[in-house]
């Protein structure tokens, strides 16, 4: 399989984690978002929506949207499972993942930050306050949700799930923008557990071939 | 089952459509977002993240996040199916749903529009331009994705899926803000097909008990 992605893209990072958790090899195809490569013809032929990541299956099918890709990997390569076996557990894990992917991340991606600067003419400090506000607000919601679940090593239970694939990139992004993580006990305990797991280490931006840091 | 929701909330509307498509009865429990009822104790006891909708199962389990709730309903009440039987089809339908739920809707929900007005001090026209920009931008992405799929009555194939549950509320919201839908041929054909289906009609805001229009 091939993964079109970008080292710093949170959505890309989620899928890389899933690949590493499953121990599946993949070809890493970088798409440089800051240089605008996602809008160039070579990539629009791959991704109609000009978003990363895109998974290209061995049969040549092109799949978009990180959570959908991870569920596809989980269905086609079931072990180790990234979703619980029971419908209730799956609903809980999907809800945690979507709380990050639908409530936090969309407000802070590159094209939104550009709109704030270019169209709304906000200054750097205001942009950073916006960023931190939505990450903090969303992570507080996540913390409240986690606090009502049984204790576990990771977001849900004692094995990594789709929720952890979404959590870790969000925390990485938050760290870049110096978000305050104080009081997010369950959230940061799950993050710390993930970062002790080699799959999360291997998938992180600093280990990507297109990393520029 | 009980559904805590709000007539005008897109995420609530998605779940109502799923209930109607499956012909499942449910108790409608209104949470008035504009009056701030989602932040009051009666509801925070139900929803840790203070978001609508929340599904309360017959066993008393509380489930959040609309797409997760719809997949739960689909897994526990499989007919008619809202996701294809094959992994590739499921990936495509989830990706279309997530393109709406992760790329369009989060930028335009009530708390974001409030932040624009209260914190960034933008005027009404600028707020509406923001709104229309992200809906139009996202729907153009959706149109491009749909254009690469085989033709069908709905977003994916000839029966309604999770993708249509997400599409219809987004178009309703776009109409309220007078978004230009010109050129979105596949998208609007799917929307029109949905609106000829009684389930989508029954679930719409104007048919909700808390509708104020």
């Amino acid at each position: 399989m091939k993964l079109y992605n970008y080292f710093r893209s949170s959505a890309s990072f989620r899928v890389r984690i899933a690949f590493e958790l499953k121990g599946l090899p993949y070809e890493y195809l970088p798409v440089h978002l800051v240089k605008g490569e996602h809008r160039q013809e070579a990539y629009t032929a791959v991704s109609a929506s000009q978003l990363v990541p895109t998974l290209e299956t061995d049969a040549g099918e092109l799949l978009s949207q990180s959570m959908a890709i991870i569920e596809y990997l989980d269905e086609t390569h079931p072990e180790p499972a990234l979703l619980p076996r029971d419908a209730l557990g799956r609903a809980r894990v999907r809800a945690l993942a979507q709380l990050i992917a639908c409530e936090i991340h969309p407000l802070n991606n590159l094209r939104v930050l550009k709109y704030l600067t270019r169209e709304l003419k906000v200054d750097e400090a205001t942009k950073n306050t916006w960023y931190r506000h939505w990450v903090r607000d969303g992570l507080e919601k996540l913390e409240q949700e986690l606090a009502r679940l049984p204790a576990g090593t990771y977001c849900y239970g004692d094995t990594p799930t789709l929720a952890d694939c979404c959590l870790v990139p969000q925390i990485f992004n938050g760290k870049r923008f110096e978000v305050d993580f104080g009081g997010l006990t369950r959230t940061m305990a799950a993050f710390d557990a993930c970062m002790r797991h080699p799959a999360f280490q291997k998938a992180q931006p600093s280990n990507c071939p297109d990393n520029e840091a």
Side-chain angles (χ1 to χ4, degrees), chain A:
Chain A
M1 288 182 279
K2 297 176 184 174
L3 186 67
Y4 294 84
N5 80 129
Y6 181 56
F7 76 106
R8 194 169 265 163
S9 144
S10 286
S12 299
F13 190 0
R14 295 172 194 158
V15 178
R16 294 196 303 262
I17 294 167
F19 266 113
E20 296 298 343
L21 284 169
K22 291 193 174 283
L24 292 169
Y26 66 97
E27 188 177 344
Y28 189 110
L29 297 169
V31 181
H32 201 301
L33 295 190
V34 176
K35 290 183 186 162
E37 288 181 358
H38 56 301
R39 290 189 301 270
Q40 293 169 10
E41 206 177 326
Y43 190 61
T44 60
V46 171
S47 169
S49 49
Q50 307 180 21
L51 297 167
V52 292
T54 296
L55 176 73
E56 185 174 334
T57 69
D58 291 336
E61 299 285 353
L62 297 162
L63 301 181
S64 64
Q65 291 294 326
S66 59
M67 291 188 296
I69 291 171
I70 293 171
E71 292 230 26
Y72 175 82
L73 290 176
D74 203 44
E75 293 179 2
T76 53
H77 300 82
E79 299 299 336
L82 301 183
L83 286 152
R85 303 291 180 200
D86 61 306
L88 190 65
R90 275 194 297 278
R92 296 224 184 278
V93 167
R94 286 182 181 131
L96 295 172
Q98 290 168 20
L99 181 47
I100 297 164
C102 302
E103 312 288 347
I104 306 176
H105 178 63
L107 294 163
N108 292 335
N109 67 28
L110 191 60
R111 68 181 185 279
V112 174
L113 300 180
K114 275 188 182 170
Y115 190 100
L116 289 176
T117 308
R118 293 181 186 174
E119 306 297 328
L120 301 187
K121 312 287 183 199
V122 310
D123 59 23
E124 194 70 9
T126 307
K127 186 185 83 174
N128 290 342
T129 301
W130 161 283
Y131 190 102
R132 286 191 284 261
H133 171 79
W134 294 116
V135 176
R136 179 75 202 182
D137 177 73
L139 290 179
E140 285 176 1
K141 288 180 167 66
L142 182 73
E143 180 69 18
Q144 296 299 319
E145 293 286 350
L146 291 174
R148 294 192 190 178
L149 295 175
T153 307
Y154 298 99
C155 281
Y156 188 87
D158 293 323
T159 55
T161 64
L162 171 66
D164 302 292
C165 294
C166 292
L167 175 64
V168 166
Q170 186 58 65
I171 299 296
F172 265 66
N173 250 356
K175 285 184 184 230
R176 277 184 64 214
F177 280 79
E178 297 177 346
V179 170
D180 171 21
F181 298 117
L184 304 171
T185 313
R186 287 284 297 265
T187 304
M188 296 312 289
F191 173 76
D192 291 341
C194 289
M195 295 317 295
R196 288 191 296 271
H197 191 302
F200 292 83
Q201 287 288 343
K202 279 184 75 174
Q204 67 179 304
S206 60
N207 287 331
C208 290
D210 55 340
N211 168 45
E212 293 159 348

